[in-house]
Amino acid sequence: MTIQDNMKPETLEPELNEAENVRPASERSALERILTLTIGPIIAAFLLSAIILMLVGVNPLTYYGYILERSLFSGLGLQQTATRMAPLLFLCASLIVAFRAGLWNLGTDGQFLLGAVISAATAPLLVGVLPGWAVLLVGFVLAALVGAIWSVIPALLKAYQGVNEIITTLMMSFLGVLLASTLVKLLFRDPATTVPQTRTLPVEDRLPRLFDTSISSGLIWGLIAVLAVHIMMTRTAFGLRLRMVGANPAAATHAGLSVPLLTMATFGISAGFAGLSGATEILGVAGNIRANWDPAYGLMVIPLVFLARFHGVGSIVLVFFYSALMIGSESAARRLGVPQDFTLVLVASLLICLGLGEYIDQHKRKKER
């Protein structure tokens, strides 16, 4: 059974539903499914986190109030929330491609960091040699290529040997994180600093800001990436081929599709977007990368994509919600003495509730059959 079983949006063709033995969504209440699979897990996760906060002596209403105040009702906080969205959106695009094609690309963190490192290492060296737009373009292209290359081994093993990609992508992600740190310390280290980091891209040479604010224009490119991927996977013949391969490889082969090549293409596109995510963070905000830096955005975005049911617009809404949570929780943690890692507790609660919601939905489906 693929990861898309029982999780197809209503826009998918009846043939795909038949291939996956999924009952058409029109026979069930759309509102009921939204409550069970999306809204319900979110509310339950917040309630579960609230109980944990009360157990440690923190008023959950005060904690959540600080989050809203800092991330949405503050001009600077809202700008930081929008900027934080940019790399997360590219990761959403990466995961939507893989998950809709029935593949698990869990190596996005390694692909993200390697894309970030190569863009941070090359862009500062090209300043003054190439025009500003060309410097950014080279950084993005190299990041996408490096991310795609890092997925070749899992792609080959999956396409031609049938090796489980969950294991191989996780292993490559672990290696990618370590390799990125090693490259910063040894090969790409800035000799002018005592801290192991790459050279710094000047602020004026980074991605331009939007409307005289601190919001990186990477936000616009991230939105375009998610919407483009959504359209490709739901409205184009190429996207249909990828989804057919994920739904039923045997039927796809019988129809004359090259399953191995389409599998390789899925991995390449997905990992390329993960590399672009890393470049967006460096070329738009940070300007450099330090050794041992690993925000682990990839694994955090996975529950958001599942909650959105692999839908582009839904993913954008949930990324905004999560970015606000990340920015606001930093302020709330300082004010209330809560560890900043409590956001991870909320994410873990969300994963648990998401799994329970999926179980309830599948149980209802079995009763209907």
Side-chain angles (χ1 to χ4, degrees):
M1 183 177 292
T2 68
I3 63 172
Q4 292 174 304
D5 289 345
N6 302 324
M7 298 177 67
K8 291 289 184 183
E10 295 180 9
T11 56
L12 293 187
E13 288 76 0
E15 291 82 359
L16 284 179
N17 285 334
E18 182 179 355
E20 295 185 351
N21 296 319
V22 176
R23 192 168 184 172
S26 58
E27 297 183 12
R28 306 183 66 240
S29 169
L31 178 60
E32 180 184 353
R33 295 204 71 210
I34 292 175
L35 289 173
T36 303
L37 298 173
T38 303
I39 298 177
I42 293 176
I43 295 176
F46 273 97
L47 291 176
L48 182 59
S49 299
I51 294 174
I52 297 174
L53 286 171
M54 287 189 292
L55 291 176
V56 297
V58 176
N59 187 331
L61 295 179
T62 303
Y63 181 82
Y64 293 144
Y66 281 144
I67 290 178
L68 292 175
E69 176 186 341
R70 177 69 177 85
S71 60
L72 298 180
F73 302 140
S74 164
L76 179 59
L78 188 58
Q79 294 177 37
Q80 292 176 337
T81 296
T83 299
R84 182 67 61 88
M85 289 177 64
L88 302 183
L89 289 172
F90 276 104
L91 287 171
C92 278
S94 169
L95 293 173
I96 288 173
V97 171
F99 290 165
R100 277 191 175 273
L103 296 172
W104 287 83
N105 178 18
L106 300 186
T108 50
D109 283 330
Q111 297 152 9
F112 169 93
L113 281 174
L114 289 174
V117 167
I118 195 65
S119 61
T122 56
L125 298 178
L126 297 176
V127 173
V129 179
L130 297 176
W133 63 268
V135 171
L136 296 175
L137 179 61
V138 170
F140 277 112
V141 171
L142 289 177
L145 288 175
V146 168
I149 291 172
W150 200 247
S151 72
V152 168
I153 293 178
L156 287 172
L157 291 175
K158 175 66 176 180
Y160 294 100
Q161 300 297 325
V163 177
N164 190 315
E165 72 275 15
I166 295 177
I167 298 174
T168 55
T169 54
L170 281 174
M171 291 177 61
M172 292 301 291
S173 181
F174 178 74
L175 291 175
V177 170
L178 293 178
L179 177 60
S181 180
T182 302
L183 289 173
V184 173
K185 292 177 181 178
L186 300 180
L187 188 59
F188 299 138
R189 180 169 181 170
D190 184 0
T193 63
T194 57
V195 178
Q197 66 179 41
T198 61
R199 291 177 174 84
T200 301
L201 183 67
V203 175
E204 60 272 16
D205 293 309
R206 299 175 194 173
L207 287 172
R209 307 297 177 180
L210 297 177
F211 313 116
D212 296 325
T213 67
S214 63
I215 302 175
S216 169
S217 56
L219 172 66
I220 302 298
W221 295 111
L223 292 171
I224 293 174
V226 172
L227 295 177
V229 160
H230 178 77
I231 293 172
M232 179 188 75
M233 297 301 294
T234 60
R235 296 290 185 269
T236 68
F238 178 69
L240 176 60
R241 292 189 185 98
L242 295 183
R243 289 183 289 125
M244 286 183 64
V245 169
N248 194 325
T253 301
H254 183 72
L257 299 180
S258 177
V259 173
L261 289 180
L262 289 173
T263 300
M264 295 284 293
T266 301
F267 272 104
I269 296 172
S270 176
F273 275 115
L276 289 175
S277 175
T280 302
E281 181 72 10
I282 300 302
L283 302 180
V285 181
N288 61 33
I289 180 172
R290 293 189 175 187
N292 302 320
W293 176 70
D294 181 16
Y297 288 156
L299 294 178
M300 292 182 183
V301 170
I302 290 175
L304 304 182
V305 175
F306 270 90
L307 280 172
R309 321 316 297 171
F310 314 145
H311 194 281
V313 176
S315 297
I316 292 172
V317 174
L318 289 173
V319 163
F320 173 76
F321 162 78
Y322 181 67
S323 298
L325 181 64
M326 292 177 69
I327 296 297
S329 63
E330 296 173 0
S331 175
R334 289 193 300 268
R335 294 186 182 186
L336 299 177
V338 177
Q340 293 190 4
D341 290 338
F342 184 78
T343 305
L344 299 179
V345 175
L346 182 56
V347 172
S349 302
L350 185 59
L351 286 171
I352 294 172
C353 296
L354 176 63
L356 291 175
E358 194 66 34
Y359 171 78
I360 294 172
D361 181 67
Q362 291 185 7
H363 184 68
K364 290 181 178 179
R365 283 173 175 269
K366 289 179 182 179
K367 284 187 176 181
E368 292 176 357
R369 292 175 180 173

